Amino acid sequence: MSRSTTVAEPVNAAAHSEGGQFALMGQRRFAPFFWTQFLGAANDNLFKFAFTVLVTYQLQVQWLPADLAGLVIGALFILPFLLFSATSGQLADKLDRRQMIVWLKRAEIGIMAVAALGFFIHNIPVLLVCIFLMGLQSTVFGPVKFAYLPQHLSERELTGGNGMVEMGTFVAILLGNVAGGLIIAVPEIGAHHVGFTCVGLALLGRLASHHIPASPAMDPSLQINWNPFTETWANLKLARQTPVVFRSVLGISWMWFFGAVFLSLFPAFAKDVLHGDEQVASLLLVVFSIGIGTGSLMCEMLSRRHVEIGLVPVGAIGMSVFSIDLYFATRGLPPASGLGLGAFMADAAHWRVLADLTLLSLFAGLYSVPMYALIQMRSQPTHRARIIAANNILNALFMIASALIAGALLGAGFTIPQMFLFVGLANAVVAFYIFMLVPEYLLRFVAWVASRFVYRFKVQGDEHIPTQGAAVLVCNHVSFVDAVLLMAASPRPIRFIMDHRIFKVPLLGWLFKLAKAIPIAPQKEDPEAYEAAFDVAAQVLREGDLLAIFPEGGITQDGRLQPFKGGIMKILARAQADGVTAPVIPMALNNLWGSYFSRVEVRDGANTAMVRPFRRGFFSRVGLNVGASVAPNVASPEGLRQRVAGLAA
């Protein structure tokens, strides 16, 4: 389905939060929701970990051996994600999401009250039932959580909001595990205190949910299909309608596969490889959680408050590099046994291990947050929750596959460090495969690198670039990398109309072909190619995408703005004939004249680009000014040229 049919939805923020992601914590549209999900995640993990410790160390249950208790509890919690995610996605699209969250928090109070009774009387079957019910509650909450954010946050806030939620979730998981272990360890009354704490956290979560603003249903007429198998398949088909969304779902599921390998192996890694005790195993979990949280929070800063999927390849590279280095960091560790936390930290060889874990998890945060934001932004509001439900199902399947594959490899004789090497190499292969299937990731990565490491790129007025619907971008043409910089400034993909000769430039030509740029030749030179370019341009606007044109018709030879040609009017006329009202967005690139990619050098009497590498060094300042849109019925070549000239001044 093309993006031109995307249903608009209200965003309760009339203006962007100028203070960034942390300012959201002072706003009703985000803070109550954040604390609701934070308390829920903390409660889930406190309950699970305390229960695991109870049946592993304190109670002897013949039918539930201690060495299998963690696996059974984890499996029961994840089982509802496989069985009920499809139904949950439908409910989240059909019902008011605020009301759903309130009812889920009420259900959590009831479940935890029963769990408290189970802890009081040491009834293991009751606690196992409660584990399943909490998994079911989390299953229903998942699609609501990720569909809620784009309903209340603007595009500029979406990355920061997801970063805060991701950070909060991992901090809550960490605190829940630590608190669960400490409370259950209290002699005689630990289990009672766990019960009281779980009920207390559920009550606090219900109180926070009361302040969440109304979140109207996006598809109230939806007919619920209660068959989880057929609905799961239907949800996957919805996701596949937009390839970049479906590939992002696969990418997130792979991240959970990757992370599950590390989390499942931490206890054995700490004991058998690092020769540490339980405190060392806890330290690994702390370091991993801090890394994820830090990477998640960094996304907004690194993306200039846009949904920047150029960070995904950055994250993938870091995940592989530091996973592989972790293998080498564990080779040659001095022999020891039962190292406490102090003795472990006193050995400098262990600091490299901790650094690798911190950095690989940090890059995992950079990898996952933009993908979640992309799914939220590019999915249609009417079935966004169902796509997220499909994501949750695949996440669960990939985590199960992770456990099975890890177990098989360990059984085949792999060591734990070799497992880390394996997943690091596999991550590189999977990432490369995904990026080749969806070139947008690679293109955005190139644009992100160019705008931060080749130039110091500053954008003003980018709020004028529409986040939905068709539009025509017109810009001055100063250098061979103008299109790359426009990519970096836009939260959405852009299709460029470009001089056919630029496709012959080494590397840049390949890049523009990958971006599906539209080659155009002068009408006198090649009439067929000229008309074909306008046919493709019309199709781009019909599909509701962004189209960019450099109306000067070529790169400037002297740094001055040339007259605009009439092709822009032909594009607008074709769009109006197709019933598409495409606003025109004027733009101006500044300070690019004189750079390596501009035709500033004179060779054999001709202006030539790319002659003197590092002509202005690295990090030279360049900018893009974006003006307010111009209605297509009042646009003219000279009028648009004057606007671009004003922005370039």
Side-chain angles (χ1 to χ4, degrees), residues 370 402 520 581 649:
S402 171
I520 188 169
T581 302

Side-chain angles (χ1 to χ4, degrees), residues 511-539:
L511 189 68
F512 295 140
K513 288 178 183 176
L514 201 62
K516 296 182 179 179
I518 305 165
I520 188 169
Q523 187 174 21
K524 294 180 179 179
E525 179 182 325
D526 191 340
E528 292 185 4
Y530 178 81
E531 290 299 329
F534 288 102
D535 290 340
V536 177
Q539 181 182 353

Side-chain angles (χ1 to χ4, degrees), residues 2-205:
S2 69
R3 284 185 287 280
S4 61
T5 59
T6 298
V7 178
E9 60 184 321
V11 174
N12 293 346
H16 303 311
S17 172
E18 294 301 328
Q21 62 200 111
F22 294 106
L24 292 173
M25 293 301 293
Q27 300 178 26
R28 185 185 171 195
R29 61 199 171 102
F30 183 80
F33 166 79
F34 174 87
W35 290 115
T36 299
Q37 68 87 30
F38 180 92
L39 291 165
N43 212 6
D44 285 346
N45 286 276
L46 188 151
F47 175 31
K48 285 193 297 180
F49 195 73
F51 183 24
T52 303
V53 172
L54 178 71
V55 295
T56 302
Y57 294 101
Q58 299 181 9
L59 292 181
Q60 300 299 321
V61 183
Q62 186 175 1
W63 53 271
L64 183 60
D67 57 346
L68 295 178
L71 291 174
V72 171
I73 292 171
L76 272 178
F77 188 82
I78 204 171
L79 181 60
F81 284 89
L82 295 174
L83 297 178
F84 303 111
S85 283
T87 304
S88 303
Q90 295 177 90
L91 293 173
D93 278 333
K94 182 178 178 63
L95 305 176
D96 183 291
R97 288 159 186 167
R98 189 256 181 193
Q99 293 180 0
M100 283 191 68
I101 293 173
V102 169
W103 279 104
L104 287 169
K105 300 313 286 186
R106 289 174 178 168
E108 183 180 337
I109 295 172
I111 295 168
M112 287 307 183
V114 176
L117 176 63
F119 276 114
F120 293 162
I121 63 176
H122 287 177
N123 190 309
I124 303 305
V126 168
L127 291 173
L128 289 173
V129 170
C130 289
I131 283 288
F132 179 84
L133 292 176
M134 283 305 295
L136 177 59
Q137 191 255 13
S138 297
T139 299
V140 179
F141 184 72
V144 179
K145 176 173 73 172
F146 285 107
Y148 173 93
L149 290 174
Q151 196 171 0
H152 292 270
L153 302 183
S154 68
E155 184 273 332
R156 289 175 62 86
E157 298 168 318
L158 204 52
T159 294
N162 275 283
M164 291 292 290
V165 169
E166 191 88 347
M167 177 276 300
T169 299
F170 275 89
V171 170
I173 290 171
L174 176 63
L175 294 179
N177 284 331
V178 171
L182 292 175
I183 296 172
I184 196 68
V186 176
E188 298 183 7
I189 57 173
H192 294 184
H193 285 181
V194 169
F196 289 132
T197 305
C198 288
V199 173
L201 287 174
L203 289 169
L204 288 174

Side-chain angles (χ1 to χ4, degrees), residues 197-216:
T197 305
C198 288
V199 173
L201 287 174
L203 289 169
L204 288 174
R206 171 62 186 91
L207 179 63
S209 70
H210 179 76
H211 299 282
I212 292 175
S215 306

Side-chain angles (χ1 to χ4, degrees), residues 119-373:
F119 276 114
F120 293 162
I121 63 176
H122 287 177
N123 190 309
I124 303 305
V126 168
L127 291 173
L128 289 173
V129 170
C130 289
I131 283 288
F132 179 84
L133 292 176
M134 283 305 295
L136 177 59
Q137 191 255 13
S138 297
T139 299
V140 179
F141 184 72
V144 179
K145 176 173 73 172
F146 285 107
Y148 173 93
L149 290 174
Q151 196 171 0
H152 292 270
L153 302 183
S154 68
E155 184 273 332
R156 289 175 62 86
E157 298 168 318
L158 204 52
T159 294
N162 275 283
M164 291 292 290
V165 169
E166 191 88 347
M167 177 276 300
T169 299
F170 275 89
V171 170
I173 290 171
L174 176 63
L175 294 179
N177 284 331
V178 171
L182 292 175
I183 296 172
I184 196 68
V186 176
E188 298 183 7
I189 57 173
H192 294 184
H193 285 181
V194 169
F196 289 132
T197 305
C198 288
V199 173
L201 287 174
L203 289 169
L204 288 174
R206 171 62 186 91
L207 179 63
S209 70
H210 179 76
H211 299 282
I212 292 175
S215 306
M218 299 311 300
D219 191 4
S221 62
L222 176 67
Q223 297 295 315
I224 302 295
N225 173 16
W226 296 101
N227 186 323
F229 303 104
T230 58
E231 185 59 27
T232 295
W233 183 248
N235 289 352
L236 291 172
K237 288 172 65 177
L238 284 174
R240 288 179 64 90
Q241 289 179 359
T242 307
V244 70
V245 168
F246 184 67
R247 305 304 180 192
S248 297
V249 167
L250 293 178
I252 290 171
S253 297
W254 169 257
M255 195 272 298
W256 281 105
F257 179 103
F258 180 92
V261 171
F262 285 89
L263 292 172
S264 64
L265 293 177
F266 275 167
F269 180 56
K271 179 183 177 182
D272 300 331
V273 179
L274 302 180
H275 315 297
D277 60 9
E278 294 86 348
Q279 291 181 325
V280 174
S282 298
L283 175 65
L284 300 183
L285 179 61
V286 170
V287 165
F288 196 84
S289 300
I290 290 174
I292 288 277
T294 303
S296 300
L297 292 179
M298 287 174 62
C299 287
E300 183 183 66
M301 174 189 68
L302 294 174
S303 64
R304 293 198 183 99
R305 303 190 66 197
H306 280 303
V307 176
E308 180 53 86
I309 63 173
L311 292 176
V312 175
V314 177
I317 292 169
M319 289 162 65
S320 286
V321 167
F322 293 106
S323 299
I324 294 169
D325 190 68
L326 184 59
Y327 164 75
F328 292 103
T330 56
R331 301 180 69 181
L333 288 177
S337 62
L339 292 176
L341 188 58
F344 177 81
M345 296 298 294
D347 191 335
H350 295 144
W351 283 87
R352 180 179 172 186
V353 172
L354 295 178
D356 283 334
L357 283 175
T358 303
L359 289 170
L360 75 87
S361 57
L362 183 150
F363 279 99
L366 293 179
Y367 174 91
S368 63
V369 168
M371 280 193 171
Y372 276 117

Side-chain angles (χ1 to χ4, degrees), residues 435-474:
F435 301 151
M436 288 298 99
L437 284 178
V438 186
E440 187 181 345
Y441 285 113
L442 184 59
L443 294 168
R444 297 291 304 192
F445 171 68
V446 171
W448 185 83
V449 170
S451 64
R452 285 161 176 81
F453 297 101
V454 178
Y455 298 109
R456 295 175 65 183
F457 186 48
K458 183 177 181 180
V459 183
Q460 293 184 320
D462 53 336
E463 66 274 9
H464 295 304
I465 303 175
T467 57
Q468 289 184 338
V472 180
L473 314 179
V474 297

